[in-house]
Amino acid sequence: MPRSDTPRLPGTRDPRLDAFRGAALVMIFIDHVPGNPYERFTLRNWGFSDAAEAFFVISGVAVGLAYAGRFGAEARAEHGLWPAVQPVWRRAWTLYQAQILLTFWAIAIFAGGSLIFNLPELLTTINLRQVFENTEAALLGIPLLTHQLGYVNILPAYAVLMLAAPAAILIGLWSPRLLLGLSLALWLAAGIWYLNLPNYPNPGGWFFNPLSWQLIFMVGLATGLSMRKGERLVPRHPALIALAAGFLVLVLAWRYLPGLGEVLNHQMARAQRLGAPPLFTAHDKTYVSLPRLLHILALVYLLASLASVRVLCGQAWAAPLRLMGRHGLLVFASGTVLSLFFQVLMAGYGNPAWMAWLLPPLGIALSIAIAALAERQKALKRRPAAPAAAPVAAPAPFVAKAPVPANGPGWSPLPHPAE
């Protein structure tokens, strides 16, 4: 998020970044266990965007903060460009490996559920039909990222954006406006002409289209670059704060005020019939249509402009969220496996109400425990090893020697205590 007026000390983490990332991970997990009573309280119920948009914005901020330092002119002049690019692409490789691992865990979980509970329909859900009915093509598409399963399809777009991140950082360091202008142009082109990366063996394109979702990521990246300089990407202004808050209230009324939603949706459909592109008039997630984009940007700006938000995110009650946010990939991966396992478990037992109430809190508690173990392991690695005790030598026998005159042969001064 953009900085508040509170100065950030060098080497400290902004608590908002970890807390909001942890909150996004919690909401993603809840939304990935359909049919539970908690999903009515996640972000998607309060506007057009959901936790996925929040995840991409925060990821972009984190990339700008974590990697941009090595791309500065002085750092590149001293070390070259490759030492800056390498850790970013290494992270992309890690995301790719996590995607492949999660995909095969999903296949195993649903295949096991089909066998244990005698539910063959599990083999045709979450885009698994190709895996079991067209196995050769699906096994080619999985490592190529052209065949993605439901609930396991957010990391491919993130990995692609990490591959493009070095070029984006260089452009952003030179001119943030140019970076955002190019990103906006690509978003427009993808949404108007339906540009997307291909699927195989299924037709169509990626559900999280990197050519469209990159705009949210780049906004976060430009924000992170501004934070490194102690600046705000967008200045805090009362008129902008009022505009963002007003739009969020309008969207909330759009969704829940009787009659208003029908009128506004009718006007959107009418504009589309008159020739307006669906990118501006629909609520499409794949191409991040304008209503979704404006909603997440307004939400981010409003939260970033309230000084109380930073204070709240630093409180003790938000510690579990910050803990999960510091280990985002691990928590996301383990939460994905848990959510898929819970889906199969609930289907096998006929979706009982007690499971819908119990399993999501259990999964969140397990995610916090996993993050705590990772934090402890990280602390142990940072702890300096205790020096090994020197062996105690046997006392040497006393041998009388003739005195050696000072400054004579063999004389050496004792070291100064400071040396």
Side-chain angles (χ1 to χ4, degrees), residues 321-371:
L321 295 178
R322 297 196 302 270
L323 177 64
M324 297 173 70
R326 287 195 296 271
H327 303 278
L329 181 58
L330 175 62
V331 171
F332 175 81
S334 57
T336 298
V337 173
L338 284 172
S339 66
L340 296 175
F341 175 73
F342 289 167
Q343 285 187 39
V344 171
L345 197 63
M346 292 173 65
Y349 286 98
N351 296 301
W354 67 269
M355 276 193 178
W357 281 97
L358 176 64
L359 292 182
L362 176 61
I364 294 171
L366 290 173
S367 297
I368 295 174
I370 291 170

Side-chain angles (χ1 to χ4, degrees), residues 169-403:
I169 292 173
L170 288 172
I171 296 174
L173 290 175
W174 181 52
S175 173
R177 292 184 179 181
L178 177 60
L179 173 65
L180 294 178
L182 293 174
S183 178
L184 181 63
L186 181 57
W187 172 78
L188 283 170
I192 293 175
W193 292 304
Y194 297 102
L195 306 178
N196 198 345
L197 300 186
N199 278 340
Y200 176 81
N202 285 334
W206 291 19
F207 181 72
F208 287 95
N209 179 9
L211 304 181
S212 299
W213 282 78
Q214 54 79 28
L215 178 56
I216 303 176
F217 180 85
M218 295 306 172
V219 169
L221 176 61
T223 300
L225 295 178
S226 297
M227 290 176 65
R228 287 185 61 88
K229 298 185 293 184
E231 302 173 355
R232 290 179 59 91
L233 179 65
V234 181
R236 181 189 289 109
H237 192 279
L240 291 177
I241 294 174
L243 183 62
F247 181 76
L248 294 175
V249 172
L250 172 63
V251 170
L252 197 60
W254 190 328
R255 294 202 55 171
Y256 293 105
L257 195 63
L260 180 62
E262 289 81 355
V263 172
L264 294 177
N265 287 334
H266 175 72
Q267 296 302 320
M268 298 280 279
R270 182 181 178 186
Q272 188 170 339
R273 289 194 300 270
L274 293 175
L279 180 65
F280 303 140
T281 57
H283 299 277
D284 186 78
K285 188 171 185 176
T286 294
Y287 293 95
V288 194
S289 60
L290 184 62
R292 297 183 69 98
L293 177 65
L294 292 178
H295 183 262
I296 189 61
L297 294 182
L299 182 62
V300 167
Y301 180 78
L302 182 63
L303 291 176
S305 299
L306 300 177
S308 58
V309 171
R310 182 179 180 124
V311 176
L312 291 173
C313 289
Q315 298 298 313
W317 67 267
L321 295 178
R322 297 196 302 270
L323 177 64
M324 297 173 70
R326 287 195 296 271
H327 303 278
L329 181 58
L330 175 62
V331 171
F332 175 81
S334 57
T336 298
V337 173
L338 284 172
S339 66
L340 296 175
F341 175 73
F342 289 167
Q343 285 187 39
V344 171
L345 197 63
M346 292 173 65
Y349 286 98
N351 296 301
W354 67 269
M355 276 193 178
W357 281 97
L358 176 64
L359 292 182
L362 176 61
I364 294 171
L366 290 173
S367 297
I368 295 174
I370 291 170
L373 289 174
E375 186 83 357
R376 184 174 183 273
Q377 187 68 21
K378 190 175 181 180
L380 290 175
K381 289 181 179 179
R382 288 178 175 176
R383 184 180 302 172
V392 179
F398 176 76
V399 178
K401 295 184 179 179

Side-chain angles (χ1 to χ4, degrees), residues 96 100 137-148 156 197-198 200 206:
Y96 174 82
I100 300 303
L139 291 182
L140 176 61
I142 288 172
L144 294 178
L145 302 181
T146 60
H147 188 69
Q148 302 168 18
L197 300 186
Y200 176 81
W206 291 19

Side-chain angles (χ1 to χ4, degrees), residues 1-4 6 8-9 11-21 61 65 227 309-311 313-314 322:
M1 303 298 115
R3 286 176 53 88
S4 68
T6 305
R8 186 167 68 95
L9 298 177
T12 61
R13 295 174 69 97
D14 191 323
R16 295 173 296 178
L17 188 63
D18 291 330
F20 283 127
R21 180 159 45 191
V61 175
L65 289 172
M227 290 176 65
V309 171
R310 182 179 180 124
V311 176
C313 289
R322 297 196 302 270

